[in-house]
Amino acid sequence: MTDIDHGLPRRGGTLAHRHLPTNANPVNNFPNAETMQTIFDWVTMAVFGALVVLFLQRSAGPEDHHDKMYHYVPPALGCAAANYLGNNGQQTVAIVIILAIVWSSLASS
């Protein structure tokens, strides 16, 4: 008997495990994708995460802040640009962009 959705054999009424090659990673569906390897990957993700937390905090807090979601697009794009530049030999420019994002986010608090 096979599972109609997946075509996998059943054993004793339960779905049998597929045997993956030893080098297969079932979590990584993109084998050619790059992983987070540089400091710019980690720092820009941390800054982006802080932007998300800031947005959620301000949207759930008192009505003092009138932030719209599009206010967070430039800093988010800045994180992407800083990560790209930092990973491609433009570390000084990337650091300046990251500092500008952090400074503008703190100044608007």
Side-chain angles (χ1 to χ4, degrees), residues 25-87:
N25 182 356
V27 176
N28 186 3
N29 293 328
F30 304 102
N32 296 328
E34 294 182 22
T35 58
M36 293 182 49
Q37 298 176 354
T38 67
I39 189 69
F40 291 101
D41 296 334
W42 292 100
V43 169
T44 55
M45 284 301 292
V47 171
F48 182 77
L51 286 170
V52 170
V53 170
L54 181 65
F55 172 72
L56 292 174
Q57 180 185 13
R58 287 184 173 183
S59 65
E63 295 297 323
D64 296 355
H65 299 285
H66 299 289
D67 291 355
K68 304 291 182 200
M69 188 176 288
Y70 65 85
H71 292 146
Y72 293 87
V73 172
L77 292 176
C79 285
N83 188 22
Y84 177 80
L85 292 170
N87 289 340

